[in-house]
Amino acid sequence: DAGITQSPRHKVTETGTPVTLRCHQTENHRYMYWYRQDPGHGLRLIHYSYGVKDTDKGEVSDGYSVSRSKTEDFLLTLESATSSQTSVYFCAISEMLGLKHEQYFGPGTRLTVT
Amino acid sequence: AQSVTQLDSQVPVFEEAPVELRCNYSSSVSVYLFWYVQYPNQGLQLLLKYLSGSTLVKGINGFEAEFNKSQTSFHLRKPSVHISDTAEYFCAVKETSGSRLTFGEGTQLTVNP
């Protein structure tokens, strides 16, 4: 299994509070991604990173920010959590080189905003 | 922009029966195609991928998929399913020059005894 961990694995927070989710990899892959998974929507890309301090928006980036100060860590921040951000969040990594274009996924973080 | 449509949201089958999960994609450029499986309360695992070459791709757990460029499809098949294949399956597409995957909405496969 690819070395990807996410923390915390579960979190309950109140509306309006800031929340930071962490993704950590031990594979030295260049690309890192944050997705949210909701019933009926599959996985939707929030933000991704193509290198240290290089990030870009995905299709559902409103209300989220990211940072990548080291190759191995990619942080997702909800500046002021809302109930619509209750979801399961997945981190993924990829090399995007040669024949290796697939993404490897972490175990997920279940976030509940009350 | 690319998009993916998984034609069935739920597929119930009996154990040892064959199954096909359908996936169609839309893209104006060349693509790579993937199938992932998600077991309850877990992340996604890669089942198989098509990058180039033979249009019939074999993956783990006895699954295979066929890339059909003219029909823009990448259907997933297994000749005989087991109870343990019960899971959600996601088709995904990536432009060959891009760095993002676009996922379909998923198909829940339920294998009944």
Side-chain angles (χ1 to χ4, degrees):
Chain A
D1 289 346
I4 311 169
T5 56
Q6 293 185 230
S7 58
R9 294 293 313 280
H10 302 270
K11 187 169 182 67
V12 180
T13 192
E14 294 184 348
T15 298
T17 60
V19 176
T20 295
L21 309 182
R22 180 182 183 236
C23 177
H24 178 79
Q25 62 150 326
T26 58
E27 306 296 322
N28 201 36
H29 284 6
R30 177 183 173 191
Y31 288 82
M32 299 185 75
Y33 304 81
W34 276 109
Y35 293 90
R36 60 178 290 172
Q37 183 178 27
D38 304 289
H41 291 277
L43 275 78
R44 293 180 291 175
L45 181 65
I46 304 171
H47 283 279
Y48 71 103
S49 170
Y50 47 96
V52 172
K53 298 186 179 180
D54 293 322
T55 64
D56 203 353
K57 295 179 179 180
E59 60 182 304
V60 290
S61 59
D62 287 349
Y64 301 95
S65 62
V66 290
S67 66
R68 191 171 179 197
S69 58
K70 297 185 290 184
T71 298
E72 58 266 35
D73 290 325
F74 192 33
L75 304 181
L76 176 71
T77 297
L78 291 66
E79 300 290 348
S80 177
T82 67
S83 58
S84 64
Q85 294 175 313
T86 292
S87 187
V88 180
Y89 292 85
F90 286 99
C91 174
I93 64 174
S94 181
E95 290 187 283
M96 295 287 176
L97 286 176
L99 298 178
K100 298 185 178 182
H101 290 265
E102 60 269 31
Q103 293 182 13
Y104 298 96
F105 286 79
T109 294
R110 185 173 296 274
L111 176 68
T112 302
V113 183
T114 61
Chain B
Q2 65 239 27
S3 65
V4 178
T5 301
Q6 290 185 241
L7 297 158
D8 305 293
S9 59
Q10 299 198 32
V11 174
V13 295
F14 288 109
E15 194 173 16
E16 298 183 4
V19 70
E20 178 180 81
L21 305 184
R22 297 179 294 167
C23 172
N24 286 96
Y25 70 93
S26 173
S27 177
S28 57
V29 298
S30 297
V31 297
Y32 298 141
L33 293 154
F34 307 85
W35 275 99
Y36 285 84
V37 60
Q38 184 181 34
Y39 299 104
N41 300 311
Q42 293 187 25
L44 278 70
Q45 301 174 32
L46 181 69
L47 266 181
L48 49 79
K49 63 182 178 183
Y50 172 80
L51 301 183
S52 64
S54 173
T55 57
L56 183 63
V57 180
K58 295 188 183 298
I60 62 172
N61 301 340
F63 284 93
E64 63 182 33
E66 185 157 19
F67 170 56
N68 188 319
K69 187 174 182 180
S70 63
Q71 297 186 8
T72 60
S73 68
F74 191 54
H75 300 333
L76 181 69
R77 302 185 182 101
K78 187 170 183 178
S80 176
V81 295
H82 303 291
I83 299 286
S84 59
D85 292 323
T86 294
E88 189 152 25
Y89 292 79
F90 292 94
C91 182
V93 64
K94 173 188 167 303
E95 294 180 356
T96 56
S97 60
S99 53
R100 306 183 182 192
L101 282 183
T102 298
F103 286 87
E105 295 180 358
T107 297
Q108 175 63 45
L109 174 65
T110 302
V111 182
N112 298 300

